[in-house]
Amino acid sequence: MLTALENGVNGGKWHSLMDKVWSQANLFSASMSVAGNAGAAGVDHVTIAAFSRHLDENLQRLERALRDDTYRPQAVRRVYIPKPGSRQRRPLGIPTVRDRVAQAALRNVLEPIFERDFAEQSYGFRPGRCCKDALRRVEQLLKEGHTHVVDVDLKSYFDTIPHDKLLARIQEKVVDGRVLRLIERFLKGGVLDGLREWTPEQGSPQGAVVSPLLSNIYLDPLDHEMAARGFQMVRYADDLVILCRSQEEAEQALAAVQTWVRTAGLLLHPEKTRLVTHEQGFDFLGYHFERGYKWPRQKSLAKLKTRLRAKTRRTSGHSLEFIVGDVNVTSRGWFEYFKHGHWTTFEPIDSWVRMRLRSILRKRHGRKGRGRGSDHQRWPNAFFTNAGLFCLSAAHASARQSSRR
């Protein structure tokens, strides 16, 4: 495959791929990937640990089913998870472990075929690329004077991808009928939502291993079209912005996106898709950009506080040492992503966390209400520093100093 990728294949299309999907080496690699990502059990209640205890036997059965063309995906278990900083919930599909392994094996085969031709401005779910690469690109474009922004929101993108159009895109490079049927079975697999089971007519379920790749395949023509028109678009999965030098250019870019989206059978969110300037500000990948600065957007802050609230309840029976350690895990992970935000971001969060901890200590001393007033003298900031509490503002100052060196 690697040689063929370098030299090309006849007609630019792949005719024989299924044997690569079911190969034992590929299935084993796929199982390790699934195990590394953890995750819950599907409708069959088989956990990753249970699947792994009989790994060889399970992989041999999966290989036979794929070889004999008797493999059929089981229904995807649908759950609903909270949207960060919102009372709304978004659907998440959980395939069985066996189906996740099969999807990972399929992705291992398809990804290098499509990856080599993906556009430069696409960053989401691609090898060697990450959110920070996309954020750096946005910052670079803003500094270069691209201060008129088309903030694009694809409404329910993963749930609205037309199956026929997606399969047609895949057939531009892959014509192995068994691989195409396997993809179609994943797309049209049943969904178990509570006690109700139904078959989707469009979309690729969020949570499916192969969905990120399929979503990139479907949006790749948009990437290339915008680049060909000279527009500077930055895309991470279905989150995308187009940065322009003038209002007129931004209006042209929006019109081009509207036309493409309509042709592709997708929808733009009428309220969230808008034209803004860098002075008005816009959100992208968890950050808010405005007037040459960036900081965590409100939903990102709300998500952090929601997680920390659960760890700092006044009724917690854990020791302060345990609570501080648990808080540190969340704070350090959050800081690693948002440490490039404006310096004014961090001290208010530190203060809020210490207030939560003082409230716990206050209750343990028989007092009601949250930490305030004399509690600051009873348990000063240094008290929490000595207790090992991770300080966001101190970490940010240290990171800035290191970057200056």
Side-chain angles (χ1 to χ4, degrees):
M1 280 190 70
L2 290 173
T3 302
L5 284 168
E6 291 297 325
N7 300 330
V9 291
N10 292 334
K13 296 188 178 185
W14 293 78
H15 292 263
S16 180
L17 289 174
M18 197 62 197
D19 59 319
K20 281 83 173 173
V21 176
W22 72 51
S23 78
Q24 274 293 309
N26 186 31
L27 291 176
F28 179 79
S29 172
S31 70
M32 293 299 100
S33 173
V34 169
N37 289 329
V43 295
D44 61 357
H45 306 293
V46 175
T47 64
I48 290 175
F51 188 89
S52 300
R53 277 197 294 270
H54 306 283
L55 184 61
D56 290 343
E57 183 181 342
N58 285 327
L59 294 185
Q60 287 170 11
R61 275 202 297 264
L62 179 56
E63 179 190 354
R64 284 195 298 271
L66 290 168
R67 275 178 177 271
D68 300 341
D69 202 20
T70 58
Y71 170 82
R72 298 294 183 275
Q74 293 178 270
V76 172
R77 181 166 68 90
R78 172 161 284 194
V79 298
Y80 293 86
I81 60 176
K83 282 189 174 182
S86 169
R87 294 183 179 180
Q88 295 179 324
R89 298 187 302 165
R90 68 179 179 89
L92 182 69
I94 304 178
T96 64
V97 176
R98 181 196 72 147
D99 291 341
R100 298 209 292 270
V101 171
Q103 288 190 31
L106 177 63
R107 180 196 60 197
N108 289 347
V109 172
L110 292 179
E111 187 173 68
I113 293 172
F114 289 91
E115 171 64 29
R116 67 193 300 270
D117 295 321
F118 277 160
E120 181 65 26
Q121 63 268 37
S122 167
Y123 294 89
F125 307 113
R126 295 184 59 188
R129 292 177 167 232
C130 65
C131 289
K132 291 188 176 181
D133 295 321
L135 291 167
R136 279 191 284 266
R137 179 58 178 160
V138 168
E139 280 195 294
Q140 178 187 356
L141 289 168
L142 287 170
K143 290 176 181 176
E144 291 175 357
H146 296 80
T147 55
H148 293 262
V149 180
V150 186
D151 190 358
V152 180
D153 188 284
L154 292 170
K155 187 176 182 180
S156 302
Y157 170 61
F158 281 87
D159 293 332
T160 58
I161 301 173
H163 289 169
D164 57 341
K165 294 178 183 290
L166 171 59
L167 289 169
R169 295 265 165 84
I170 296 170
Q171 289 177 52
E172 292 172 5
K173 293 187 178 181
V174 174
V175 291
D176 185 324
R178 294 185 65 177
V179 169
L180 294 171
R181 284 197 301 275
L182 182 59
I183 296 171
E184 189 169 13
R185 285 169 186 161
F186 283 132
L187 291 173
K188 297 184 181 299
V191 176
L192 186 63
D193 191 346
L195 298 177
R196 184 172 69 97
E197 184 171 353
W198 53 280
T199 301
E201 297 181 358
Q202 59 184 11
S204 184
Q206 294 189 60
V209 176
V210 77
S211 284
L213 174 61
L214 297 181
S215 72
N216 273 336
I217 290 172
Y218 198 64
L219 288 179
D220 185 58
L222 173 63
D223 297 334
H224 287 287
E225 179 171 331
M226 299 307 285
R229 288 171 173 259
F231 297 126
Q232 297 292 341
M233 185 172 82
V234 181
R235 182 174 70 81
Y236 191 96
D238 60 334
D239 199 351
L240 58 103
V241 289
I242 307 166
L243 294 96
C244 306
R245 291 188 180 274
S246 67
Q247 178 73 13
E248 181 183 8
E249 183 185 352
E251 291 172 354
Q252 293 172 355
L254 176 58
V257 169
Q258 289 171 330
T259 300
W260 188 93
V261 166
R262 186 166 51 251
T263 303
L266 302 173
L267 294 171
L268 290 178
H269 197 294
E271 297 172 1
K272 296 181 181 179
T273 299
R274 58 197 185 120
L275 300 180
V276 296
T277 67
H278 74 300
E279 293 180 349
Q280 294 169 301
F282 62 97
D283 295 337
F284 186 60
L285 297 181
Y287 274 95
H288 179 78
F289 291 82
E290 187 176 326
R291 293 168 296 170
Y293 299 101
K294 70 177 186 294
W295 54 82
R297 67 175 186 165
Q298 286 302 312
K299 285 187 177 180
S300 301
L301 291 171
K303 182 178 179 181
L304 172 65
K305 288 190 173 184
T306 297
R307 294 178 64 189
L308 291 178
R309 278 193 190 96
K311 297 184 175 190
T312 55
R313 292 191 177 97
R314 273 175 267 182
T315 55
S316 173
H318 294 295
S319 67
L320 181 65
E321 180 183 11
F322 178 91
I323 295 170
V324 166
D326 200 20
V327 166
N328 285 351
V329 171
T330 298
S331 297
R332 288 181 189 277
W334 188 87
F335 178 76
E336 184 57 33
Y337 186 74
F338 288 105
K339 63 185 177 183
H340 304 290
H342 194 264
W343 65 271
T344 55
T345 299
F346 304 101
E347 177 53 38
I349 303 174
D350 286 332
S351 179
W352 181 83
V353 170
R354 289 192 293 263
M355 179 275 292
R356 299 280 302 178
L357 296 176
R358 288 187 181 104
S359 299
I360 295 173
L361 296 172
R362 181 182 176 88
K363 181 174 178 60
R364 292 179 181 181
H365 282 72
R367 296 182 176 89
K368 296 181 180 180
R370 65 181 189 177
R372 61 184 186 275
S374 61
D375 295 331
H376 288 263
Q377 286 74 49
R378 188 175 291 109
W379 301 293
N381 294 355
F383 172 85
F384 297 106
T385 300
N386 293 334
L389 181 66
F390 179 72
C391 179
L392 294 167
S393 52
H396 182 255
S398 177
R400 289 181 66 191
Q401 192 173 17
S402 298
S403 63
R404 284 171 180 169
R405 292 200 193 103

